[in-house]
Amino acid sequence: MMFSVSNTANDILSSPELRRYLCLFFPDFMVDVIPERDRDLSLEKLGGKLTMPWGAPFMAEEMVRAANMVQDILDHKLCEFIPLWTPAEQHFIPELRKNDRSSVALLKLKGSDGPGRKPAVIICPGGAYTGLSMDGEGFRYAQRMEQAGYRAFVLSYRVAPNRYPEGHKDLALAIKHVRCYADSYGVDPDRILLMGSSAGGHLCASFAAEYEKYDILLCEELSRNQPELNRLYGAISCRPNGLSLSYPVISFMQNAHEESFQNLSGGDEALREPLSVERHLTADYPRTFVWACADDGMVSPKNAELLGEGLAQAGVKHILRIYPWGDHGCGLASGTSAETWSDEMILFMKE
């Protein structure tokens, strides 16, 4: 069954399987906007009646899209999920509500296989280290990058109440996994791009600054708890070859996004400087495309500017773009002043 805005919320939520996985693309807090008494109204009517926590009309079309995507996943049409910390299962779907190792996985689009080796991109959605925007900053990015000739993977990584460095270890494991299975995925292991938005941008940017540290932390944990994975991945590098950062969180020393810091660190003030990316840039840092919008009301564009300044001082090849308008969380940014960013980034990565 394909849903539309003429369906009610209960048409979607009454299916246990759909409800179980809807949070992959439509988080629980967005479902909670709908009062029980209104769940038999059409989604179209809810769009005119309810508002999201940030003041926008209820996202009826996004809920429909999410439900249809989940249905396609349940029917094994849309994508596959590859668990990273746990043994692979046929038709595995991560349960993000569990938010533990069993939920750490790579999303890979169905039909993305083909002849030859291509560059890979590992996409880290944002969500202030408390959730993951798996659709707008994950799945849609993957579609765009597949069109551009990449093999795309979206990482569901651990967020709060998990603390630093758990998400960083998840990313290290994801890179090692893609490199290890480069032949079967049709990937060039020397061209792995990390792509992150908002807090996901911080994850990618901070990881790239000290990837060797996270490699050691991961291998120490694997050697203790999963020696078979350590034997498989231990000698494989987790250094990324490039970064694409959309309206990223960068600094916790100035212009900080406090929610991301609290969720990542648990409020440990000793981590402010170690997790401020601009303090840890070297000439070895990967080439980077970083952008933000001047009117971003959530994560100050000064974060992107700080990174750009630091990369220039370190002599790292990069492009910094501050677009006039588009605010925060605009993803591919269609209809905003930033809508060309992905074209610019893809051209830059080909140089």
Side-chain angles (χ1 to χ4, degrees), residues 102-260:
S102 69
S103 68
V104 177
L106 287 170
L107 176 157
K108 180 176 176 289
L109 304 187
K110 287 285 185 78
S112 63
D113 299 325
R117 288 181 181 266
K118 296 181 179 180
V121 57
I122 297 174
I123 301 162
C124 297
Y129 283 115
T130 192
L132 298 174
S133 179
M134 288 289 287
D135 184 13
E137 295 171 354
F139 185 82
R140 297 189 202 206
Y141 281 10
Q143 289 178 310
R144 174 71 184 95
M145 296 305 288
E146 290 274 347
Q147 291 169 358
Y150 282 74
R151 310 284 192 196
F153 303 83
V154 183
L155 176 64
S156 64
Y157 57 91
R158 286 172 289 175
V159 296
N162 299 286
R163 304 300 184 196
Y164 173 82
E166 299 309 292
H168 289 71
K169 289 188 287 187
D170 295 340
L171 180 52
L173 186 57
I175 297 170
K176 285 173 175 282
H177 174 89
V178 171
R179 280 207 168 104
C180 181
Y181 294 101
D183 287 344
S184 60
Y185 291 141
V187 161
D188 181 346
D190 296 322
R191 289 193 294 167
I192 295 183
L193 172 69
L194 299 186
M195 193 173 189
S197 301
S198 195
H202 179 269
L203 176 63
C204 295
S206 56
F207 180 90
E210 298 184 284
Y211 67 91
E212 292 173 317
K213 175 171 77 174
Y214 301 118
D215 194 341
I216 292 170
L217 289 174
L218 172 65
C219 289
E220 287 177 346
E221 180 163 345
L222 292 178
S223 67
R224 289 193 304 269
N225 302 317
Q226 292 174 279
E228 69 286 354
L229 285 185
N230 192 47
R231 287 191 292 271
L232 185 63
Y233 296 142
I236 297 174
S237 171
C238 61
R239 182 186 186 275
N241 304 107
L243 297 181
S244 172
L245 307 174
S246 303
Y247 38 86
V249 174
I250 293 297
S251 180
F252 293 130
M253 303 294 291
Q254 50 187 314
N255 301 292
H257 186 247
E258 283 299 318
E259 183 182 358
S260 291

Side-chain angles (χ1 to χ4, degrees), residues 26 34 44 69 179 189 206 225 349:
F26 199 78
I34 312 171
E44 184 175 28
M69 289 173 69
R179 280 207 168 104
S206 56
N225 302 317
M349 292 300 167

Side-chain angles (χ1 to χ4, degrees), residues 137 198-199 246-249 293 295-299 326-331:
E137 295 171 354
S198 195
S246 303
Y247 38 86
V249 174
C293 293
D295 65 345
D296 192 324
M298 184 171 291
V299 175
D327 207 347
H328 190 78
C330 55

Side-chain angles (χ1 to χ4, degrees), residues 273-317:
E273 193 279 338
L275 292 175
S276 293
V277 182
E278 80 280 8
R279 303 294 186 97
H280 304 279
L281 300 172
T282 67
D284 183 52
Y285 202 79
R287 66 161 51 206
T288 300
F289 185 95
V290 54
W291 69 277
C293 293
D295 65 345
D296 192 324
M298 184 171 291
V299 175
S300 170
K302 292 291 184 184
N303 280 261
E305 292 174 355
L306 275 173
L307 181 63
E309 292 166 5
L311 293 174
Q313 291 173 5
V316 176
K317 192 165 187 177

